[in-house]
Amino acid sequence: MPELPEVESLTAFLGERAVGRTIAGVDVVAFQALKTFDPPVTALGGLTVTGVSRHGKFLDLDCDGLHLVIHLARAGWLRWRDDLSGARPVRPGKGPLAVRVRLAPDADGLAPGFELTEAGTQKRLAVYVVKNPDEVPGVAALGPDPLDESFDVAALKRIVGGNRTQIKGLLRDQKVVAGIGNAYSDEVLHAAKMSPFKVAATLTDAQIADLHDAIVTTLREAVERARGLAAKDLKAEKKSGLRVHNRAGQPCDVCGDTIREVSFADSSLQYCPTCQTGGKPLADRRMSKLLK
C-alpha cells in the first residue's frame, strides 16, 4: 500500500510534470473507482493543473479550483506515460487499469498523462472530483500529519493519553495520525524498540518522546530516499529501505535476531523480538481484530 513517503514523492513527481498543463480528458474504466458525480468528471476537461498536494495518503490535483482527489488504497498505483496519443481506447473490463488522465499535447506533439491501476480482486482505489478536498470524507476525517511542524511530542502525548488501543493499530488509524500504514508502522515501532501490542495509554513520557522521534525520523528518511525518483521506481525503493516489514525469517539489521511475524485475518505485522519485545515472540493471533 502506498503510504505517506510514496504519496509525498508522487506529489512532487506530478508537480514537476503536470502543473501548468491542460487536462485533455479523464477516462474512467473502473466505474466503481469514481466516488462522486457532481461535478462530473468531464468537468475537468480543459482545466489547467495549477497545483499538486498531499493529504495523508490522498493525492490532490488542483485543476483551476476543481480538485481531482485520488486514494490508491492497498493495491493501487500511478503510472506516468510520456505519450498517451497512441494508447488504445479504454474499455471497462477485468484488467488493472482503473482511470486514465490525459494531458494536452506539448510543443513536440507528445500527449503525456498518467494511469491509475489496481491489482487484485478487492477494488478499493477511489477517485473524487470535488470543489474542496474536505468534501472527501476520508480527507475531512484525517488526523494530524506527522511531517507537520505542529506534530510535536506534546501532540503525540495527547493522542496516546488514555487510549487503550494497541499502539500498532493506533498508528494505522488515519483519524489519529495521517499517512502511516502497515509497513511504516512496523518500521516506526522497530525504530522505537516498542512492541506492536503495547497499549498506548501505558507509554511513559520517555517512550512517547522516543516514539515521536521514530515516527518523524523514519518518515523523513523514507521521503528523502524517494526524493527525485520516477513513479515506477518508488515501490522498489520502499522495499529496499524496510528493516522489518515483509522480512519475516531474515536477520534483524540491528541485532541479528530472526524477524518474526504475526498474522491476522487480512494482514500481518513483522517485528524483532530482541529489539522490541524483550526477546519473547508474540502470540500469532490470526483471528485478532487488531488491524481491522
Side-chain angles (χ1 to χ4, degrees), residues 21 81-87 103-113:
R21 292 183 176 273
R81 305 297 187 191
D82 290 328
D83 187 16
L84 282 169
S85 59
L103 301 177
D106 58 22
D108 296 323
L110 299 178

Side-chain angles (χ1 to χ4, degrees), residues 12-279:
F13 180 87
L14 284 180
E16 294 175 356
R17 290 161 177 78
V19 169
R21 292 183 176 273
T22 300
I23 293 182
V26 179
D27 306 314
V28 179
V29 183
F31 295 110
Q32 73 274 11
L34 184 61
K35 305 302 182 182
T36 54
F37 63 90
D38 185 23
V41 69
T42 54
L44 293 168
L47 300 183
T48 299
V49 180
T50 54
V52 184
S53 58
R54 177 186 61 80
H55 313 283
K57 301 178 190 178
F58 290 84
L59 269 170
D60 175 9
L61 280 74
D62 186 340
C63 308
D64 285 334
L66 200 59
H67 295 259
L68 175 62
V69 179
I70 301 163
H71 191 277
L72 294 170
R74 175 175 291 186
W77 198 244
L78 184 149
R79 301 178 185 275
W80 178 264
R81 305 297 187 191
D82 290 328
D83 187 16
L84 282 169
S85 59
R88 296 179 180 179
V90 292
R91 296 177 181 178
K94 297 182 179 180
L97 182 60
V99 177
R100 176 182 288 164
V101 178
R102 295 176 286 107
L103 301 177
D106 58 22
D108 296 323
L110 299 178
F114 60 89
E115 296 174 336
L116 304 178
T117 61
E118 186 172 23
T121 58
Q122 295 184 351
K123 302 301 184 182
R124 298 177 179 175
L125 184 146
V127 174
Y128 308 80
V129 180
V130 292
K131 296 177 181 178
N132 188 314
D134 285 339
E135 294 176 38
V136 177
V139 173
L142 285 174
D145 192 294
L147 295 188
D148 192 277
E149 291 183 0
S150 63
F151 185 78
D152 54 16
V153 176
L156 182 59
K157 185 174 182 179
R158 289 191 295 271
I159 288 171
V160 301
N163 197 309
R164 303 302 301 176
T165 304
Q166 291 171 330
I167 193 64
K168 166 76 175 182
L170 190 70
L171 289 177
R172 290 189 61 189
D173 187 341
Q174 299 304 295
K175 296 179 181 179
V176 175
V177 181
I180 300 176
N182 196 30
Y184 287 106
S185 57
D186 281 351
E187 297 301 298
V188 164
L189 292 172
H190 179 254
K193 299 184 182 300
M194 188 174 295
S195 169
F197 287 173
K198 189 171 184 61
V199 175
T202 66
L203 268 62
T204 65
D205 286 351
Q207 288 173 326
I208 292 172
D210 288 344
L211 180 60
H212 177 270
D213 180 68
I215 291 171
V216 174
T217 300
T218 299
L219 294 178
R220 288 197 182 280
E221 288 180 349
V223 168
E224 192 58 35
R225 289 195 305 270
R227 190 181 304 279
L229 292 180
K232 64 182 178 64
D233 298 324
L234 289 174
K235 287 185 179 181
E237 168 51 44
K238 177 180 181 178
K239 183 177 181 180
S240 68
L242 299 175
R243 289 190 168 190
V244 289
H245 185 74
N246 276 347
R247 291 191 59 207
Q250 299 180 39
C252 172
D253 291 342
V254 176
C255 71
D257 194 1
T258 301
I259 296 170
R260 306 292 184 93
E261 178 174 277
V262 178
S263 299
F264 301 92
D266 62 350
S267 153
S268 63
L269 65 82
Q270 289 79 41
Y271 69 101
C272 171
T274 294
C275 291
Q276 297 174 252
T277 61

